[in-house]
Amino acid sequence: MAEEYRKFDASDYMRTDEDLQGLLSAALDEDLGDGVVIRAVLKHVARTHNLSALARETGLNRGNLYQALSKDGNPTLATLLKIIRALGLRLRLEPVDTPLESGRPPKQQKLSVRSTST
C-alpha cells in the first residue's frame, strides 16, 4: 500500500487566537534575524483569516500583501506593523538574555525621553 503525504500547512492546526499568538511568539523567538520565519508564520496566520479583508484593513492590495509575505518578500516595518495590527496583535520589544555574537554583553544605556509641557 502506497503512503500518501501532503504538504504541512500550519494554518490547518490554528484553531484559536491563542494558537495563533503562540505560533507568532515562537516565530519571534526562533527567527535568526532575517525575518524568514516571521514572514512565513504571518503568511500562514493571514491565510487563516480572510485575506481580502486583511488587505482592506491594511490598505494594501492582495497582490502586495502576498508579495510582502512571500518567501522572497522584504516588507517594510510599516507594512509588518499594518499586518500585525490588522490581525489584532501588537509587536513588543524586550531585552534578550543572550549576549551579542561578539561575546560582550550589550552596554546598558538609558534612553532619555523628553517631555514637552503644553
Side-chain angles (χ1 to χ4, degrees):
M1 180 184 288
E3 293 185 49
E4 290 185 33
Y5 297 96
R6 41 179 220 136
K7 190 174 180 179
F8 175 78
D9 187 346
S11 59
D12 292 339
Y13 301 94
M14 300 296 103
R15 306 268 189 261
T16 66
D17 286 342
E18 289 79 21
D19 292 340
L20 297 174
Q21 291 169 359
L23 182 61
L24 283 166
S25 179
L28 287 169
D29 288 343
E30 298 299 322
D31 194 88
L32 299 176
D34 57 5
V36 171
V37 176
I38 296 168
R39 274 194 319 275
V41 168
L42 279 174
K43 180 179 177 181
H44 286 294
V45 171
R47 287 180 51 217
T48 64
H49 290 71
N50 181 328
L51 207 56
S52 294
L54 185 62
R56 272 192 307 277
E57 289 178 38
T58 59
L60 303 168
N61 67 44
R62 282 179 53 135
N64 288 347
L65 193 55
Y66 273 116
Q67 177 59 37
L69 299 176
S70 74
K71 183 178 178 181
D72 298 322
N74 190 14
T76 64
L77 179 59
T79 298
L80 285 175
L81 290 174
K82 286 178 186 178
I83 294 167
I84 290 168
R85 284 187 190 127
L87 292 171
L89 302 169
R90 172 184 22 209
L91 181 63
R92 186 173 293 174
L93 302 174
E94 57 188 44
V96 295
D97 295 331
T98 57
L100 298 175
E101 286 182 22
S102 66
R104 296 185 314 246
K107 291 182 180 178
Q108 296 296 320
Q109 192 174 20
K110 292 200 176 221
L111 299 176
S112 61
V113 178
R114 291 186 195 182
S115 63
T116 57
S117 300
T118 53

